[in-house]
Amino acid sequence: MEKFITPSGLLAAHRGGYIDSQKEEGPAPLLWRFSDFLKWAELCPSESEIGHALMRLVITGQEIPHACEVELLILSHHFYKSSACLDGVDVLVALAATRVDAYVSEGDFPCLARLITGVGNFHALNFILGILIENGQLELLLQKYSAAADAHTGTAQTVRGFRMAVLTSLKQFNPNDLDAFAMVYNHFDMKHETASLLESRAEQSYHMWFLRYNKDHTEDLLESMRYFIEAAEVHSSIDAGNKTRAACASASLVSLQIRMPDFQWLSLSATNARRALVEQSRFQEALIVAEAYGLNQPGEWALVLWNQMLKPELTEQFVAEFVAVLPLHPTMLAEIARFYRAEVAARGDQSQFSVWLTGGGLPAEWAKYLERSFRCLLKRTRDLRLRLQLATVATGFGDVINGCLRSLDRVPDNGGPLVLRKGHGGAYLPLM
């Protein structure tokens, strides 16, 4: 075999050139290609002998260009692997490792990337990945691998192995280079990891805003909101509905921080988030806080609505916006009715409520304000039986109770559709 493969022939092939292919099948320009060489190799009965001959050329050859040398190593590895010559593979990997220093010293990173992607032994040659990543050649590495995979139709297992090797090297050598991780995730179409990284970058951005002395500079917050929106788009593309909603809620919370920078809306504890929710007098802000911190539950809204009860005008506006978006849940209304009864019974004619409700003195007409706000809730309750139950629990709403009873008396509990049958003489008679 060595009689047919000589350094002079390789150099001639290297200088000869071909134009009809741009694939990573050799150091362009080359006269011979990887696929052509495989056809010629069929003339030799022993694939391991071809591997030996190619590797001897690398060892003994002089003035062989690096690009040509790399292709010889890749071809040799291919024949060793196809003939299950494990000793040959070990020797070749050791030889390739000795050639790495020469490539690095001359800055020949394309050949280095071609070597690791062409051989494909990412475990034994893992240090090459580290060298490329440390020298900022990640994009080149991914391009070379894509070209090699297109040329040789790499299996899913091979792609997965390369991806894991690259990510492991990144975490080892550049763990804080988020742009590099984003590049790898996008290259391999890793949607979940991409979205998670975007959310991490969003949190990092708004934490940087907290460290700013001048809070009027909102560039970090705008960047954070953009990352959350991009994360929501990625989640939406893979039908991750809950995560999409959570990312959108976080983006809305960041926008609230931009509009109202005097109050800290971001990174609140569970207790502080509930306190911020209860203290909101506008429904839109309250809904943003509830969605962002997972408090959009009937039990949480009961306290929010109850805190508005002494301000009838605000309550009416709040409830009107509330019912346009969320339902008035029966358990929430029942809890507010119990609050109402307990407060009226406990305070009687006193002019002050408990400190937890308002934190200060109340007007003398607090009972009228409270009643007006609760009537607003009763009016918004369409279910007559539920309205009757709420008025009964709250006490003091006899007119509402009587009105509900009159309406319910018109429709008996066992009322059903009227079904008629045709009787004698053509008259229609009810079946019941």
Side-chain angles (χ1 to χ4, degrees):
M1 186 66 193
E2 293 179 59
K3 296 179 181 179
F4 301 100
I5 305 176
T6 63
S8 58
L10 289 171
L11 290 174
H14 178 65
R15 297 189 183 102
Y18 65 87
I19 305 175
D20 61 334
S21 176
Q22 299 297 324
K23 299 289 187 181
E24 277 286 339
E25 292 189 284
L30 268 181
L31 185 62
W32 48 267
R33 289 173 289 188
F34 195 98
S35 54
D36 295 334
F37 196 92
L38 294 180
K39 292 180 181 179
W40 301 333
E42 294 176 0
L43 299 174
C44 181
S46 175
E47 291 186 337
S48 61
E49 288 298 324
I50 300 177
H52 294 330
L54 291 169
M55 192 163 61
R56 288 193 191 97
L57 282 176
V58 176
I59 296 173
T60 61
Q62 296 179 355
E63 297 183 359
I64 297 179
H66 289 169
C68 192
E69 184 178 86
V70 166
E71 294 303 319
L72 292 176
L73 290 172
I74 293 172
L75 281 169
S76 178
H77 180 270
H78 168 78
F79 288 113
Y80 280 144
K81 188 176 179 181
S82 61
S83 62
C85 183
L86 300 182
D87 291 338
V89 171
D90 292 339
V91 173
L92 185 141
V93 169
L95 175 62
T98 63
R99 302 298 301 151
V100 168
D101 292 336
Y103 300 156
V104 174
S105 63
E106 297 182 17
D108 199 349
F109 295 111
C111 284
L112 206 57
R114 171 62 181 152
L115 176 62
I116 181 66
T117 56
V119 171
N121 194 332
F122 306 118
H123 177 71
L125 298 177
N126 186 57
F127 68 97
I128 297 180
L129 295 176
I131 293 173
L132 291 170
I133 290 172
E134 281 188 303
N135 286 275
Q137 301 297 321
L138 177 61
E139 185 174 2
L140 171 67
L141 175 64
L142 296 177
Q143 290 175 353
K144 289 289 184 179
Y145 184 78
S146 296
D150 292 341
H152 307 304
T153 61
T155 63
Q157 184 177 0
T158 304
V159 174
R160 188 161 53 248
F162 176 72
R163 182 180 65 197
M164 291 179 62
V166 171
L167 288 175
T168 301
S169 297
L170 263 180
K171 292 175 182 177
Q172 181 179 357
F173 295 103
N174 280 347
N176 298 321
D177 191 350
L178 300 183
D179 290 331
F181 280 100
M183 185 188 302
V184 176
Y185 294 154
N186 290 329
H187 183 84
F188 291 105
D189 198 27
M190 302 169 68
K191 299 290 188 181
H192 292 283
E193 290 78 4
T194 299
S196 178
L197 179 63
L198 288 169
E199 291 173 350
S200 176
R201 300 187 79 163
E203 294 173 2
Q204 188 180 66
S205 295
Y206 71 66
H207 282 305
M208 290 177 62
W209 178 79
F210 283 132
L211 300 177
R212 286 185 177 273
Y213 177 77
N214 188 354
K215 295 296 190 291
D216 292 334
H217 293 167
T218 59
E219 293 82 2
D220 293 328
L221 292 179
L222 290 172
E223 189 176 47
S224 175
M225 187 165 63
R226 178 175 64 85
Y227 283 135
F228 275 126
I229 293 173
E230 290 178 1
E233 292 175 348
V234 175
H235 283 310
S236 177
S237 67
I238 54 178
D239 296 330
N242 289 333
K243 292 184 177 180
T244 301
R245 179 194 57 78
C248 290
S250 297
S252 298
L253 191 67
V254 175
S255 71
L256 186 61
Q257 185 70 72
I258 295 174
R259 289 189 287 115
M260 305 172 68
D262 295 335
F263 182 82
Q264 179 179 338
W265 302 96
L266 298 167
S267 298
L268 295 178
S269 64
T271 301
N272 290 335
R274 284 187 172 87
R275 183 179 293 115
L277 175 61
V278 170
E279 292 174 353
Q280 295 312 305
S281 59
R282 290 165 50 90
F283 174 71
Q284 293 300 327
E285 283 79 3
L287 181 62
I288 290 174
V289 174
E291 287 284 355
Y293 290 101
L295 302 176
N296 192 4
Q297 305 293 333
E300 304 290 348
W301 285 112
L303 294 174
V304 179
L305 289 169
W306 177 245
N307 200 45
Q308 312 289 330
M309 297 293 278
L310 287 173
K311 305 168 187 175
E313 294 81 7
L314 291 178
T315 301
E316 292 173 0
Q317 179 66 25
F318 194 97
V319 173
E321 295 180 4
F322 185 97
V323 297
V325 179
L326 299 172
L328 289 172
H329 202 276
T331 58
M332 177 186 70
L333 295 173
E335 191 169 359
I336 296 176
R338 288 192 293 270
F339 287 163
Y340 181 92
R341 181 181 64 184
E343 197 65 36
V344 171
R347 298 300 164 186
D349 295 332
Q350 296 180 18
S351 61
Q352 290 190 6
F353 272 168
S354 55
V355 176
W356 68 267
L357 180 62
T358 63
L362 296 176
E365 298 180 340
W366 63 267
K368 184 176 71 174
Y369 293 160
L370 197 62
E371 179 183 349
R372 179 180 166 186
S373 296
F374 195 78
R375 284 185 180 276
C376 174
L377 287 176
L378 291 175
K379 183 179 178 181
R380 292 283 183 176
T381 306
R382 296 183 178 182
D383 189 338
L384 291 179
R385 289 183 175 82
L386 177 59
R387 187 188 302 175
L388 174 62
Q389 178 186 354
L390 296 175
T392 304
V393 171
T395 67
F397 296 93
D399 57 330
V400 177
I401 294 175
N402 293 332
C404 291
L405 289 175
R406 284 195 301 270
S407 299
L408 290 172
D409 285 342
R410 296 173 187 170
V411 182
D413 292 338
N414 60 353
L418 183 62
V419 181
L420 303 177
R421 65 177 177 84
K422 191 172 183 179
H424 297 289
Y428 287 92
L429 303 174
L431 289 178
M432 297 178 62

